């Protein structure tokens, strides 16, 4: 009755309103799908099946009181947003048993709208990674080919939507962590303008870069979800009042839209198949009445180095609170507090998190601040100026979201730098705080290719409209087969189902660098 | 060039215990990453102001009004060790 | 200025060494806890003495995902301090993270201010002895206090020997203002004077009670020495986290000769942090930390820069009360008090207000000052009361002063009346009436007393009559003694002369 592989939130809402399906039935369809495929995909760290079933029944029963545009629709939430009464782990051993005492504002807004939470999705530990292989609990698989990664760090959310295990999901994006997995999993993902969505309750990775955003099956759904999580939050001093409400997109034509294609992005090692799909989409934009011109963002190649100072520097301080004193993992039998700190953090964090804490601490340490952090902040200014200049000429910037399609599990795990390069097209928008969205624009070798729009600050409606028109024209309807499982099993040795409190938690995989 | 002593010093600052083999591996990885990052030094940025934040907003404050916080039970719920309603930590050493 | 010439003024500051004269260079970093309703970055109540961990939230417990938001009142209070110290308040200030691990610091960074503080370049004028000194203020900035650590097991309350520690986060996140001086303070006594008068200023501003026992005011002192008259700066040592004026002065007084001794022996002073032991009166180096401090300051990305609207800053400036130094000058001028008396009365705001309330009753200001500084202040000290508290109201003290001025009671009898005002909580006039303490001017009443005294002291009468006129004073004293000090001296003199000259 409910095809979770194809159903959009807009359609689901209509089914609910028309009484063709109840929230309980809709929720059960997703829980059934999770039960059927989760042992192959590992999209979730925690499935809150009982709560979801109970709450959806309550929404059905109290339909009159619990009305609202999103009431009764099920959603998956990345496990780096705190949820009161539901463990939140950030896919880290150091938070394996953490029970939040409050709820992130973005999630709270959805709960207040009577959205049904299906569970908490997997991620690279503390959102540090581009493949979800850095999870402390399990490696999420790409539903299009279970032998490949789903991207990251919101790999669990992207895979859940792609595999029909969620109607839609929340992710977070610090350097591409929504858009890159959306691209690799063939779904829509959007990072809003910095400040548009409250970060209160989003476990901080890099505070000046992090934003929460939607992962959905359509641009329309993306706008629908976004409009319900935006807004100034008195608990987040960096949140802002949106200059205009988020509109549901309806554009079919792109007449007069000027789209800039930065030559530096296409120079950055784009795979031929990705390039071909991208160029086809560009041609389509022109058919829709848009004008595509080559532009230059001259400091693009410096964005990645600047990002890999700024993000780890902020992270080194943000992750200092995980010290074994007030919550989370504490190393046993430490005689003094310094030893307790060092062992707790040494045992609690995985290799990539340690690496970034080390880079960030080094970059801020005495004698190096100006050479690294100070310099990176100035490069950040140049990256912002590039966009300011370009947006004097064009309305939007377009590029492939990721230089490659999904890569095999383990392929980049041994080489941190190779992994970092996955985000070369997505990082500049975070440094500049700009809205950016990825939509699927076709397949290359059977794997999805992502197309990215970046707009000026607070131009969400323009970005969504353009993406909607292009999405409609592209008509991307392919769905993943969840094939390649044998390959996946032979490579991983059969990952255990993730559980923050089970065995997997006390013996997290050593991650990527081993 | 970052060396093993630097790595040990930084790990100490960050309160991260690293096994000996981790120190060696980390030193090589950080050296490669920092070499890539050093690309920034190609730019003359002496006249460029730093960006700490992309927001233009300034002066966000809250009023001095007490709001309910956590009960003591909630505050202590996640604590690894509690004595006399306080968080217990090993001696300062 | 009343301190004489420069050489005399400077004399008490010279540290005499074996090989020459040295002088001290002292700077202070003063921390003041603000009396806001809520903490610096969250809406938890600032309280004292409540059960542990009953005033916390995700922000001040540093739970994952929680974010700070600046308390507007704390900004206002800090601005009051900055303006009272004559600082410049730039159009914006920025919070930084100061990173270090300690169990009382839940985020493992303190949100503080670094290269763009709230205020810079001020000064504070204060009295030391008879001298008005000026100390430049380098900066005033905002930050948050740490939580409370209780060291348990082993020797009670000491880090050394304790088996474990307990953390209570009630205090964690309390708004703090840090005031950093230039090294302008010339002596241990001046350091103490500076701190006492700065504390009075802060109390006057209504932003902190500055309770010493509760540690609402704490300071670090740095100290170095240099050859007298030189303008170089030597290597300084630091005394951390002190909250006793007396111990500070003692510590500095013991540290000065130590540094001089090292330098005169050809050694070098090491830059280190010292601990002062009040029992031995000496300083010893704290065990050096295993690594040098590297706080890795960087701009706090969870907060945006704070804009300081110049119009608002001017509003705050206009709302400042009269500051103690200005009040001392005004009291001297307006009430004709000596500078020294004015400083005693006009320094602390509460005492100044009490005094002005007494004067407002229309009594003689100088007489009122004598009574305020004398009996009243002694009473406050003995009873441990703050000015304005207790049963001696300004109205009652003024009534007593008026009784003295009008000759209704003698000065010595008035002291009795004052004591009884406290014991009996009554009006002075009523006490005088009840206990018959009024002045006796009636010749009929005094005549017999005089006669008795003269009769009882024949040898003194002989002396007087032999020409030793000064013996008259003895007789006056005897009459006063016999009348409990109530006799009118003029009448007594007249009667005595009449009786003796016969």
């Amino acid at each position: 009755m409910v095809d979770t592989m194809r159903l959009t939130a807009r359609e689901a809402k209509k089914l609910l309103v028309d009484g063709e399906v109840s929230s309980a039935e809709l929720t059960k369809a997703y829980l059934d799908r999770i039960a059927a495929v989760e042992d192959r995909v590992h999209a979730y760290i925690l499935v809150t099946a009982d709560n979801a079933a109970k709450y959806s029944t309550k929404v059905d029963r109290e339909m009159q009181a619990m009305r609202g545009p999103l009431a009764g629709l099920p959603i998956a939430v990345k496990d780096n947003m705190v949820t009161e009464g539901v463990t939140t782990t950030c896919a880290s051993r150091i938070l394996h048993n953490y029970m939040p005492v409050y709820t992130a504002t973005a999630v709270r807004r959805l709960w207040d709208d009577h959205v049904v939470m299906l569970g908490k999705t997997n991620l690279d530990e503390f959102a540090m990674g581009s493949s979800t292989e850095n999870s402390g609990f399990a490696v999420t698989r790409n539903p299009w080919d279970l032998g490949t990664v789903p991207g990251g760090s919101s790999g669990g959310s992207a895979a859940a939507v792609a595999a029909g295990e969620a109607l839609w999901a929340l992710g977070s994006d610090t350097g591409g962590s929504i858009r890159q997995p959306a691209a690799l999993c063939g779904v829509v993902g959007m990072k809003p303008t910095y400040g548009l969505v409250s970060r209160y309750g989003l476990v901080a990775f890099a505070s000046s870069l992090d934003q929460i955003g939607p992962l959905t099956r359509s641009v329309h759904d993306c706008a629908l979800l976004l409009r319900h999580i935006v807004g100034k939050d008195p608990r987040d001093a960096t949140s802002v009042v949106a200059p205009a409400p988020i509109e549901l997109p309806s554009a079919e034509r792109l007449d007069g839209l000027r789209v800039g294609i930065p030559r530096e992005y296409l120079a950055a090692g784009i795979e031929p198949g990705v390039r071909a799909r991208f160029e086809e989409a560009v041609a389509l934009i022109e058919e829709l009445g848009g004008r595509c011109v080559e532009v230059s963002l001259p400091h693009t190649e410096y964005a990645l180095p600047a990002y890999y100072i700024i993000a780890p520097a902020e992270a080194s301080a943000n992750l200092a609170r995980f010290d074994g004193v007030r919550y989370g993992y504490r190393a046993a039998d430490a005689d003094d507090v310094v030893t307790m700190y060092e062992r707790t953090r040494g045992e609690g964090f995985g290799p990539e998190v340690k690496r970034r804490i080390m880079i960030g601490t080094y970059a801020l340490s005495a004698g190096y601040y100006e050479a690294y952090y100070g310099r990176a902040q100035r490069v950040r200014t140049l990256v912002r100026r590039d966009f300011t200049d370009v947006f004097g000429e064009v309305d939007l910037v377009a590029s492939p979201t990721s230089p490659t399609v999904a890569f095999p599990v383990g392929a980049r795990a041994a080489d941190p730098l190779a992994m970092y390069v996955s985000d070369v097209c997505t990082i500049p928008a975070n440094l500049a705080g700009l809205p950016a969205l990825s939509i699927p624009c076709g397949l290359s070798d059977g794997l999805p290719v992502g197309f990215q729009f970046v707009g000026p600050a607070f131009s969400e409606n323009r970005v969504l409209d353009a993406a909607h028109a292009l999405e409609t024209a592209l008509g991307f309807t392919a769905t993943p087969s969840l094939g390649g499982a044998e390959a996946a099993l032979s490579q991983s040795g059969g990952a255990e189902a993730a559980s923050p409190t089970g065995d997997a938690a006390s013996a997290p995989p050593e991650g990527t660098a081993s | 060039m970052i060396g093993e002593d630097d790595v040990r010093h930084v790990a100490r600052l960050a309160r991260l215990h690293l096994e000996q083999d981790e120190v060696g591996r980390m030193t090589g990885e950080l050296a490669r990453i920092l070499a890539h990052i050093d690309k920034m030094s190609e730019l003359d940025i002496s006249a460029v102001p730093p960006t700490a934040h992309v927001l233009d907003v300034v002066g966000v404050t809250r009023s001095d009004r007490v709001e309910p916080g956590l009960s003591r039970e909630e505050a202590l719920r996640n604590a690894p060790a509690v004595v006399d309603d306080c968080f217990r930590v090993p001696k300062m050493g | 200025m009343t301190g004489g010439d420069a050489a005399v003024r400077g004399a008490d500051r010279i540290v005499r060494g074996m090989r020459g004269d040295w002088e001290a260079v002292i700077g202070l970093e003063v921390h003041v806890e603000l009396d806001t309703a809520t903490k610096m970055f969250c809406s938890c109540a600032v309280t004292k003495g409540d059960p542990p961990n009953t005033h916390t939230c995700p922000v001040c417990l540093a739970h994952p995902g929680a974010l700070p938001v600046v308390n507007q009142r704390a900004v206002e209070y800090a601005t009051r301090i900055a303006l009272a110290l004559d600082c410049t308040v730039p159009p914006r200030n920025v919070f930084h993270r100061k990173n270090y691990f300690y169990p009382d610091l839940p985020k493992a960074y303190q949100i503080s201010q670094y290269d763009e503080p709230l205020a810079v370049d001020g000064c504070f004028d204060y009295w030391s002895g008879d001298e008005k000194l000026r100390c430049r203020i380098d900066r005033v900035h905002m930050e948050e206090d740490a939580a409370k650590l209780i060291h348990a097991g082993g020797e009670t309350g000491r880090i050394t020997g304790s088996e474990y520690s307990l953390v209570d986060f009630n205090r964690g996140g309390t708004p703090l203002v840090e005031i950093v001086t230039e090294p302008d303070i010339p002596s241990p006594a001046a350091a103490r004077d500076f701190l006492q008068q700065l504390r009075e200023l802060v109390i006057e501003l209504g932003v902190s009670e500055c309770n010493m026992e509760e540690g609402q005011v704490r300071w670090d002192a740095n100290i170095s020495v240099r050859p007298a008259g030189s303008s170089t700066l030597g290597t300084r040592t630091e005394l951390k986290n002190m909250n006793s004026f007396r111990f500070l002065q003692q510590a500095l007084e013991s540290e000065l000769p130590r540094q001089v001794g090292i330098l005169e022996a050809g050694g070098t002073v090491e830059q280190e942090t010292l601990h002062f032991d009040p029992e031995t009166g000496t300083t010893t180096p704290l065990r050096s930390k295993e690594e040098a401090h590297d706080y890795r300051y960087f701009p706090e990305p969870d907060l945006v820069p704070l804009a300081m609207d110049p119009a608002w800053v001017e509003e705050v400036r206009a709302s400042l009360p009269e500051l103690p130094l200005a009040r001392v000058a005004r009291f001297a001028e307006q009430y004709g008090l000596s500078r020294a008396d004015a400083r005693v009365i006009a320094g602390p705001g509460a005492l100044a207000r009490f005094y002005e309330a007494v004067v407002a009753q229309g009594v003689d200001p100088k007489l009122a000052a004598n009574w305020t500084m004398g009996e009243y202040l002694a009473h406050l000290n003995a009873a441990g009361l703050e000015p304005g508290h207790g049963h001696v109201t300004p109205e009652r003290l003024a009534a007593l002063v008026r009784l003295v001025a009008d000759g209704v009671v003698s000065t010595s009898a008035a002291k009795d009346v004052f004591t009884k005002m406290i014991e009996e909580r009554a009006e002075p006039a009523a006490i005088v009436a009840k206990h018959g303490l009024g002045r006796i001017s009636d010749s009929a009443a005094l005549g017999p007393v005089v006669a008795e005294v003269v009769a009882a002291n024949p040898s003194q009468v002989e002396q007087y009559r032999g020409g030793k006129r000064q013996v008259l004073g003895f007789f006056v004293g005897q009459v006063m003694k016999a009348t409990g000090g109530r006799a009118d001296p003029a009448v007594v003199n007249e009667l005595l002369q009449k009786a003796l000259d016969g």
Side-chain angles (χ1 to χ4, degrees), chain B:
Chain B
M1 188 65 164
I2 191 166
E4 291 202 358
D5 285 348
D6 299 315
V7 166
R8 279 193 205 91
H9 169 69
V10 173
R12 182 78 178 163
L13 276 179
R15 295 287 187 264
L16 267 183
H17 174 76
L18 298 180
E19 299 292 344
Q20 182 49 41
D21 62 323
E22 278 185 290
V23 171
R25 195 168 59 230
M26 189 76 82
T27 306
E29 287 167 352
L30 294 196
R32 284 192 58 221
I33 293 165
L34 291 169
H36 176 72
I37 284 166
D38 279 338
K39 183 164 185 56
M40 290 195 300
S41 58
E42 293 170 3
L43 291 170
D44 176 11
I45 41 92
S46 50
V48 181
T51 293
H53 230 290
V54 295
L55 291 171
D56 292 329
V57 295
V58 287
V60 178
T61 58
R62 41 167 263 275
S63 63
D64 186 29
R65 201 174 48 237
V66 176
E67 283 173 24
L70 300 174
S71 67
R72 184 162 61 201
E73 290 65 37
E74 288 174 308
L76 298 170
R77 175 187 298 162
N78 282 283
V82 173
V83 172
D84 295 341
D85 296 325
C86 288
F87 296 85
R88 177 186 166 144
V89 292
K91 65 173 183 276
M92 294 300 116

Side-chain angles (χ1 to χ4, degrees), chain C residues 185-254:
Chain C
I185 300 169
S187 71
R192 180 179 180 158
D193 293 330
F194 173 96
L195 284 166
Q196 283 175 331
Q197 289 165 52
L198 180 68
R199 175 173 177 268
E200 281 169 8
L201 173 80
V202 172
I203 293 171
E204 188 76 31
L205 293 170
V207 301
S208 174
E209 287 181 14
C210 294
N211 186 309
M212 306 291 289
E213 275 93 57
E214 283 166 1
Q216 281 189 296
V217 201
R218 290 138 22 208
W219 54 85
D220 306 335
N222 57 72
I223 180 166
S224 62
V225 296
R226 64 185 174 199
S230 151
S231 60
T232 56
L233 287 176
T235 305
R236 59 191 218 179
T237 55
E238 274 196 89
L239 290 152
K240 287 267 188 200
N241 213 17
M242 308 195 76
N243 65 349
S244 152
F245 296 132
R246 190 159 57 90
F247 290 165
L248 171 78
Q249 187 173 348
Q250 287 176 6
L252 292 173
E253 280 168 353
S254 96

Side-chain angles (χ1 to χ4, degrees), chain A residues 39-51:
Chain A
D39 64 338
R40 283 177 282 163
V41 181
H42 304 298
Y44 286 87
I45 287 177
L46 180 70
V47 178
T48 50
D50 288 350
N51 283 344

